[in-house]
Amino acid sequence: MTSTISLFPRSHRWTYQTPFLLFLLLLSHFRHVHVHAQQQDPTTLNGGSILAMSGHNCVAIAVDKRFGSGPQMINVSPRTVLTPHSRAMVGFVGLEGDVLSLAQNLSISISAKMGRHLGFGFSGNGNRNGASKLGRGQEISPKSLSILLSHMMYSRRSSPYYVEPIVAGLEKVVNRELVNSSEIVKDETLIHSEEEFSDEEGVLLSSPCYKERIDYIPFLCAQDVIGAQSKSKAFVCSGTASNSLYGTAEALWRPQLEPEELLQVCGRAFLSALERDCLSGYGAIIYLMVGGEGIMEYELACRND
């Protein structure tokens, strides 16, 4: 009978193996807890991601098309996006039943104020490119829309909507520039002031002329399930791929992007993040909102696995 000689006694071998075994046990436990928590989170049950970026007088919103129940694939359709008018959009991601309920309630809340002296309303022709006013009402600004949505979600804090919406839009700002008398030409954009001016001797002078310049300031706001607002001047994101979206968007975004550049940057950042998340993808749609022109829709193809 042969006997083997070990370099380390049994007690020493157990001492060397103990830290490695404990590390494996803790790693498997953390993975199990993470997967279990993600499966129990209602906001990630149906998957989906959304990204909004700002540019120079423009805003872009990207949404994916995958609709599932956890890892199981169910349908391919774009995310719900509400468009009150051509300068405001609301994208929803989360539990699909709560998404539809919140979108309908928000539409009713806006429509209920329609026709009031200071009320709000949707575009008259129901088109994304329409920006007409209804009656005496006026278009709701993106900031007011964000406040209204936050109030609705916080009022349900005891039984919240499992939705993480994003409000994106363009705030219209009218600036007036004084025009010199030598530069005055026949122009419809010139506005004559009603005030009268006189020189040192009291002789009345002609009223000054101003020229209007309309600027569109991007507005981005992301909210959680109880309506807590998180505003940004660069980009906001929500959904299952939000961790990857923050990295890709921060690496690619630049200030004062033109509409064509913003479309390319937003698409590249969104598709790069979708490839790193199994609960999002199956195509994407980008809504490009340009001040004074309306909203244009672009469809992107990506991996379907």
Side-chain angles (χ1 to χ4, degrees), residues 85 87-88 120 139-146 167 170-171:
H85 53 84
R87 292 187 294 104
F120 309 115
E139 297 173 351
I140 182 170
S141 65
K143 183 178 181 180
S144 301
L145 181 61
S146 177
V167 179
L170 297 172
E171 295 280 353

Side-chain angles (χ1 to χ4, degrees), residues 33 55 72 92 133 164 202 214 242 253:
V33 170
Q72 182 180 1
F92 302 90
K133 299 180 181 179
E164 295 178 348
I214 300 177
S242 59
W253 180 83

Side-chain angles (χ1 to χ4, degrees), residues 138-204:
Q138 63 180 1
E139 297 173 351
I140 182 170
S141 65
K143 183 178 181 180
S144 301
L145 181 61
S146 177
I147 294 174
L148 176 62
L149 179 59
S150 178
H151 174 73
M152 291 178 56
M153 299 186 69
Y154 187 73
S155 63
R156 288 281 303 269
R157 60 188 180 278
S158 57
S159 57
Y161 295 106
Y162 292 105
V163 182
E164 295 178 348
I166 284 180
V167 179
L170 297 172
E171 295 280 353
K172 187 176 180 180
V173 179
V174 179
N175 298 319
R176 290 187 178 183
E177 297 178 350
L178 182 62
V179 180
N180 297 329
S181 58
S182 59
E183 300 177 359
I184 296 178
V185 294
K186 187 178 180 180
D187 193 346
E188 296 179 355
T189 60
L190 294 181
I191 300 176
H192 293 271
S193 175
E194 297 180 356
E195 300 179 1
E196 294 182 348
F197 294 86
S198 60
D199 58 6
E200 297 178 357
E201 298 179 357
V203 179
L204 292 178

Side-chain angles (χ1 to χ4, degrees), residues 93-131:
V93 64
L95 193 63
E96 188 64 19
D98 289 351
V99 166
L100 298 177
S101 299
L102 180 59
Q104 293 175 0
N105 291 338
L106 182 60
S107 302
I108 293 172
S109 298
I110 298 176
S111 300
K113 300 175 176 58
M114 192 179 303
R116 298 182 183 180
H117 180 62
L118 293 177
F120 309 115
F122 285 84
S123 298
N125 55 4
N127 193 344
R128 283 196 176 98
N129 294 328

Side-chain angles (χ1 to χ4, degrees), residues 6 20 24 29 52 60 119 126 131 141 156 203 207 244 273 299:
S6 176
F20 181 70
L24 293 179
H29 174 71
S141 65
R156 288 281 303 269
V203 179
S207 59
S244 299
E299 187 170 356

Side-chain angles (χ1 to χ4, degrees), residues 44 81 117 121 144 152 173 184 216 226 236 245 259 282:
T44 61
V81 178
H117 180 62
S144 301
M152 291 178 56
V173 179
I184 296 178
Y216 296 92
I226 60 172
V236 291
L245 283 171
Y282 281 80

